[in-house]
Amino acid sequence: MPVITNIEDLRVLHQKRTPKMFYDYADSGSWTESTYRANESDFQKIKLRQRVAVNMVNRTTKTTMIGEEVTMPVALAPTGLTGMQCADGEILAAKAAEKFGVPFCLSTMSICSIEDVAEHTTKPFWFQLYVMKDRAFIERLIERARVAKCSALVLTLDLQILGQRHKDLKNGLSAPPKLTIPNILNMMTKPRWCLGMAMTQRRTFRNIVGHATGVGNMSSLSSWTAEQFDPGLNWGDVEWIKKRWGGKLIIKGILDEGDARLAADSGADALIVSNHGGRQLDGAISSIQALPGIVNAVGKDIEVWMDGGIRSGQDVLKAWALGARGTLIGRPFLYGLGAMGEAGVTKCLEIIHKELDITMAFTGHRDIQDVTKDILYPGTF
């Protein structure tokens, strides 16, 4: 087992142990991938102010996200096909998050179902909702999340149509993978992954198959999903969903200050500054660049979080300093999951927490609640 010291180490191990189509699905963006790259590189431009001779004893990174106590302002983002990075991936990630004390959010396009995750966890998790044309199916999904005692609904607004991701098309992405000669040869080099998949029955989109009308197998699922993402989605639909859910609502996919105001006016509890990890509009602004303007636009009317490009605890602290009261990580925990299963997700969280804690100390703070943008060098953000 190699010595794991940072998220990049997990990424390298993930790439070695996971079939190419699923690694590429996690680690790619749309079109030229310029926004995907900018999400990371724009964090690196922001510089920190080191302070010395400051009492660093009894540090804490604890805070709250929508009223829920968290070990640090980090949640595991909703990611599709997580159970293809590692067998039963959503269950393993949820268990790791619960033990560490951070929220886990399950995607509509997960391999493990809402019920699967609820059965294997004791703490309420969040459920992310895509809006489909089949509103009866959406109502049933919301009810299933309520029965599973999900503590928040995360409504994603930036996937009305699907951005083109070249690698997915070239790899022929599917769950489970089609048994073509190239896929079989590639999977033969991933014995750990194959053994895990052989020992589970969870290999398709279990939130959808058997639940959506007319979707009983993989062939019908493919045509259903191609037709179901709703390009007509609008703020009236947000109100419709809010009424049917009745609980805490988080809106994901905000990059524009005007949209941020609409999100705040909708009565949602939090919004997530996000460009879908650079997987939708290539050429869009990075999440960290968009963050300060959105924080200024909505003031204290709604909790502002962000995702996209976070690869370290330093990135979490920079986002906090610029006004984000929560962050979400997708790729980092997928790297850990594909590398080492549940232990890898735990390792990812440990790495980020340690980096956050130590960086906070070096900038002269013991409590994350006291951190402001004064820790950042002017002109670098």
Side-chain angles (χ1 to χ4, degrees):
M1 178 63 65
V3 176
I4 304 295
T5 62
N6 56 30
I7 298 301
E8 175 63 10
D9 290 341
L10 291 173
R11 185 199 67 77
V12 172
L13 197 55
H14 175 207
Q15 187 174 23
K16 290 178 180 177
R17 292 182 170 177
T18 305
K20 184 177 187 298
M21 71 165 61
F22 299 123
Y23 171 79
D24 283 351
Y25 172 78
D27 201 46
S28 64
S30 63
W31 290 344
T32 69
E33 300 189 335
S34 66
T35 298
Y36 167 41
R37 293 190 299 272
N39 275 347
E40 291 188 53
S41 62
D42 284 351
F43 265 111
Q44 296 166 13
K45 298 172 186 175
I46 302 170
K47 302 305 177 184
L48 299 160
R49 296 175 61 182
Q50 178 176 304
R51 302 299 303 276
V52 297
V54 177
N55 185 352
M56 297 180 182
V57 176
N58 296 326
R59 297 187 303 277
T60 179
T61 60
K62 292 181 179 179
T63 183
T64 61
M65 295 173 70
I66 56 167
E68 298 182 17
E69 293 185 1
V70 294
T71 300
M72 59 180 173
V74 173
L76 301 194
T79 55
L81 288 98
T82 301
M84 286 288 114
Q85 305 297 338
C86 174
D88 299 335
E90 290 89 356
I91 292 171
L92 300 181
K95 290 170 69 174
E98 179 177 322
K99 292 172 186 175
F100 203 86
V102 297
F104 169 80
C105 185
L106 182 70
S107 170
T108 292
M109 305 303 294
S110 60
I111 301 302
C112 300
S113 68
I114 300 171
E115 294 79 10
D116 290 331
V117 175
E119 182 182 348
H120 289 85
T121 54
T122 60
K123 181 180 178 182
F125 56 95
W126 302 342
F127 180 68
Q128 175 267 338
L129 182 70
Y130 283 125
V131 180
M132 310 292 191
K133 293 176 183 176
D134 185 346
R135 290 301 196 262
F137 171 67
I138 294 301
E139 287 190 277
R140 291 195 297 273
L141 263 182
I142 291 172
E143 182 58 27
R144 288 168 61 197
R146 182 181 293 110
V147 170
K149 296 182 170 53
C150 292
S151 57
L153 192 70
V154 178
L155 176 59
T156 297
L157 297 185
D158 62 354
L159 207 142
Q160 294 170 261
I161 56 176
L162 189 65
Q164 181 166 310
R165 303 153 195 171
H166 298 332
K167 292 176 183 175
D168 292 349
L169 294 175
K170 291 175 179 177
N171 289 332
L173 178 70
S174 65
K178 295 181 177 68
L179 295 180
T180 63
I181 292 176
N183 286 344
I184 292 171
L185 292 175
N186 182 247
M187 287 188 290
M188 287 174 63
T189 67
K190 319 293 180 183
R192 177 192 296 247
W193 184 90
C194 291
L195 179 61
M197 285 298 168
M199 296 176 66
T200 182
Q201 297 299 312
R202 303 179 182 98
R203 304 189 195 100
T204 187
F205 297 102
R206 285 166 65 93
N207 280 328
I208 299 173
V209 173
H211 295 282
T213 302
V215 181
N217 54 47
M218 282 304 300
S219 59
S220 55
L221 173 64
S222 298
S223 59
W224 185 86
T225 52
E227 299 170 355
Q228 277 297 319
F229 287 106
D230 191 354
L233 174 65
N234 59 71
W235 288 99
D237 295 316
V238 175
E239 182 179 359
W240 179 82
I241 289 167
K242 187 175 187 301
K243 287 180 179 177
R244 275 152 184 78
W245 170 240
K248 292 182 179 179
L249 179 68
I250 301 158
I251 292 179
K252 183 175 184 290
I254 302 297
L255 277 185
D256 181 83
E257 294 172 20
D259 287 341
R261 277 261 40 111
L262 291 170
D265 294 342
S266 75
D269 297 274
L271 68 82
I272 304 172
V273 179
S274 173
N275 52 39
H276 217 99
R279 295 164 65 77
Q280 285 294 91
L281 175 61
D282 188 40
I285 192 172
S286 70
S287 295
I288 194 63
Q289 270 196 303
L291 176 62
I294 288 175
V295 170
N296 290 334
V298 298
K300 299 184 181 300
D301 296 342
I302 188 173
E303 277 188 43
V304 177
W305 305 343
M306 67 84 61
D307 78 358
I310 292 174
R311 299 294 182 270
S312 70
Q314 288 201 340
D315 294 339
V316 172
L317 193 65
K318 290 172 182 179
W320 178 282
L322 290 174
R325 289 301 166 259
T327 62
L328 288 88
I329 56 170
R331 291 183 177 97
F333 96 80
L334 292 180
Y335 297 155
L337 182 68
M340 299 189 297
E342 181 180 343
V345 179
T346 299
K347 188 65 176 179
C348 162
L349 293 170
E350 289 172 347
I351 289 169
I352 288 176
H353 183 260
K354 183 176 182 179
E355 292 169 341
L356 171 62
D357 174 61
I358 292 175
T359 304
M360 190 174 70
F362 280 143
T363 60
H365 291 278
R366 291 187 294 175
D367 189 334
I368 196 168
Q369 305 279 3
D370 298 329
V371 173
T372 69
K373 65 180 179 182
D374 289 342
I375 70 164
L376 309 177
Y377 264 107
T380 67
F381 62 90

